[in-house]
Amino acid sequence: MLCPRNSIALSEFQSGYLAAAAALPVFESLLCPGGRFESAVTMGSSFRMKLTLSFTVMVTVISAGVANVTAQSPTVPVASFIFGDSLVDAGNNNYIGSLARANYRGNGIDFPGGKATGRFCNGRHVPDIIGQTFNLPFAPPYLDPATKGNAILKGVNYASGGAGILDDTGFTFIEVLPMDKQLTYFENTKQQLISMLGQPATDELLANSLFSVTMGSNDYLNNYFIPFSPRASLKPQVYQDIVINKFRVQLQRLYDLGARRIVIPSVGPIGCIPYQLAVKFRKNGQCDPENSIIRDFNTAVKGLVQELNAKSGQPNFILVNAYDKVSDMIARKGDYGFSTASTACCGTVGPYNALLPCNILSTVCADRRVSLFWDAYHPSDAANVFLAQQFVDGSDGYPMNIRQLVSHQFT
């Protein structure tokens, strides 16, 4: 694994901060034994000099850490902040009244520890794997009560299964965390970081962090494509414009909050997922023509990325190509080691094992490595590995891939 200069710098900063936090109660007990400050007056001048020197050294360590974080150029991200839907949810839906949950047996069977975490996958999702590529820990879900203090220094996951760009997306799941809510949660995280590190160090941490926004799939699958959705009667172009205009505001808000390295995966070929194959009665795994609507949306997102970069004057936003990579894995499944690219590994009944979502009564295929799809909607860990590799080092990222974004020197 790489041992980046900037990662070391942040570690030094964290060590300094943690040392200071740990030492403060000790200094309080020395200065104020019994809770009374006046007792410190009885200490000898020699001891007071040593105490002053020790405190000065402690503060110097913190200051030096901040200086290092500010001065170093990022060769890898120092933290990962994740926004999105069930493709990247790390367990936030476990803490809300949502019908879209994955905290049951089957899910997580190949995740470290072998237990369900709330990820809609047998193992890791794409940001998990990208984080490992850059030696980052798995970003904890924001709503986990343990996600506070030191736990947020390497990133946070705000994603929610069923969520979308529009607030009404995912309405059939009762409760989800739409993109606007996720951004509000990030604002809370930023304030926590400022209280811990101060404004300058927080700004540098965010500028050197990787942000990913995996949104859009549910705005179609769990909104526009639902026959009884209030949006279903809109013309495709009209609906697309509504979603893109909302997305523009959200991405600009993220930038204004300090994000400078923002990754946006394109929406995958929804017409090829096992659930759509089943409900649309597609034969022999032939994808549904609705994919044309998704391709148009992805083209619009690419234009949005170009627009936002022109506005900032820097390549702060990149689009990575999930649509073409998944399509290629389906078309050439054998070359990727898959024996099936249309059937859900974890499913219950119906064509493609996909009429009902993966649940505690579902059967799980014996060898998940040969299935492109984990369940009726989501890629397997094996497929996510290929997606992560493409996003990090592929040649079709616009205007660059993740590794190039991370190492880019912004002026």
Side-chain angles (χ1 to χ4, degrees):
M1 302 299 288
L2 296 174
C3 185
R5 293 166 57 199
N6 204 59
S7 178
I8 295 171
L10 184 62
S11 298
E12 290 170 356
F13 173 80
Q14 291 172 347
S15 298
Y17 175 82
L18 295 176
L24 283 175
V26 176
F27 285 121
E28 285 181 356
S29 64
L30 289 172
L31 287 170
C32 311
R36 295 183 297 115
F37 178 79
E38 59 269 17
S39 62
V41 177
T42 62
M43 293 188 296
S45 59
S46 175
F47 184 81
R48 287 200 302 273
M49 183 179 297
K50 292 178 181 178
L51 179 60
T52 302
L53 178 60
S54 298
F55 189 78
T56 301
V57 170
M58 179 182 67
V59 174
T60 301
V61 169
I62 300 175
S63 300
V66 175
N68 283 339
V69 172
T70 302
Q72 301 292 346
S73 59
T75 54
V76 299
V78 298
S80 175
F81 296 92
I82 300 162
F83 304 81
D85 52 31
S86 58
L87 291 168
V88 296
D89 186 353
N92 282 304
N93 278 18
N94 296 349
Y95 301 95
I96 61 176
S98 180
L99 298 179
R101 292 194 178 192
N103 57 340
Y104 45 80
R105 180 170 49 84
N107 293 295
I109 188 172
D110 299 312
F111 191 78
K115 295 182 179 180
T117 62
R119 288 168 171 81
F120 293 77
C121 189
N122 61 302
R124 303 158 296 171
H125 53 46
V126 171
D128 287 332
I129 299 166
I130 292 173
Q132 288 179 314
T133 301
F134 293 115
N135 203 27
L136 289 172
F138 297 142
Y142 173 84
L143 292 179
D144 186 334
T147 304
K148 58 185 177 181
N150 301 329
I152 70 175
L153 292 175
K154 287 289 187 179
V156 177
N157 184 308
Y158 307 90
S160 171
I165 295 166
L166 302 181
D167 289 345
D168 59 322
T169 288
F171 63 90
T172 58
F173 301 121
I174 308 300
E175 185 180 7
V176 298
L177 306 176
M179 184 63 182
D180 281 339
K181 172 66 78 172
Q182 293 181 32
L183 288 168
T184 298
Y185 286 161
F186 173 64
E187 286 183 323
N188 296 340
T189 298
K190 182 177 178 179
Q191 289 305 311
Q192 293 176 47
L193 289 169
I194 291 171
S195 67
M196 293 170 63
L197 312 179
Q199 185 75 56
T202 297
D203 291 344
E204 288 300 325
L205 186 151
L206 298 181
N208 293 337
S209 295
L210 191 64
F211 290 77
S212 62
V213 183
T214 305
M215 282 290 192
S217 295
N218 285 318
D219 292 292
Y220 284 91
L221 185 62
N222 286 300
N223 197 333
Y224 188 60
F225 289 161
I226 296 178
F228 55 87
S229 168
R231 310 272 191 177
S233 61
L234 297 174
K235 297 292 185 181
Q237 185 63 52
V238 172
Y239 181 73
Q240 176 182 292
D241 290 344
I242 291 171
V243 178
I244 289 295
N245 288 336
K246 181 77 167 180
F247 205 23
R248 176 185 293 105
V249 174
Q250 292 167 341
L251 292 174
Q252 184 63 53
R253 181 181 174 190
L254 184 58
Y255 177 90
D256 291 341
L257 286 168
R260 291 297 180 268
R261 304 170 196 274
I262 303 167
V263 180
I264 306 165
S266 62
V267 173
I270 290 175
C272 302
I273 65 174
Y275 174 77
Q276 290 297 89
L277 297 179
V279 299
K280 295 296 182 71
F281 304 103
R282 305 300 296 175
K283 301 295 184 181
N284 303 316
Q286 294 298 310
C287 300
D288 192 82
E290 67 191 9
N291 276 344
S292 63
I293 296 176
I294 302 303
R295 287 193 297 270
D296 289 344
F297 176 77
N298 288 334
T299 299
V301 174
K302 184 176 182 179
L304 180 57
V305 166
Q306 185 177 26
E307 172 191 326
L308 291 170
N309 284 338
K311 183 176 179 179
S312 71
Q314 303 278 351
N316 298 113
F317 300 84
I318 69 168
L319 179 69
V320 289
N321 197 342
Y323 185 98
D324 283 353
K325 189 61 178 180
V326 173
S327 297
D328 190 57
M329 286 191 283
I330 292 171
R332 300 190 303 116
K333 62 185 181 184
D335 293 343
Y336 290 90
F338 298 124
S339 61
T340 175
S342 59
T343 301
C345 170
C346 181
T348 308
V349 295
Y352 306 104
N353 203 28
L355 279 182
L356 292 178
C358 176
N359 59 72
I360 58 174
L361 300 178
S362 299
T363 58
V364 176
C365 62
D367 189 355
R368 275 79 62 187
R369 296 172 299 178
V370 298
S371 284
L372 194 159
F373 288 100
W374 160 242
D375 61 14
Y377 309 92
H378 306 98
S380 65
D381 180 283
N384 283 338
V385 169
F386 290 116
L387 284 167
Q389 291 172 344
Q390 184 70 22
F391 294 176
V392 172
D393 291 312
S395 60
D396 58 352
Y398 177 81
M400 62 184 69
N401 61 37
I402 290 178
R403 196 178 299 279
Q404 292 165 333
L405 175 69
V406 166
S407 61
H408 186 81
Q409 301 298 306
F410 291 101
T411 57

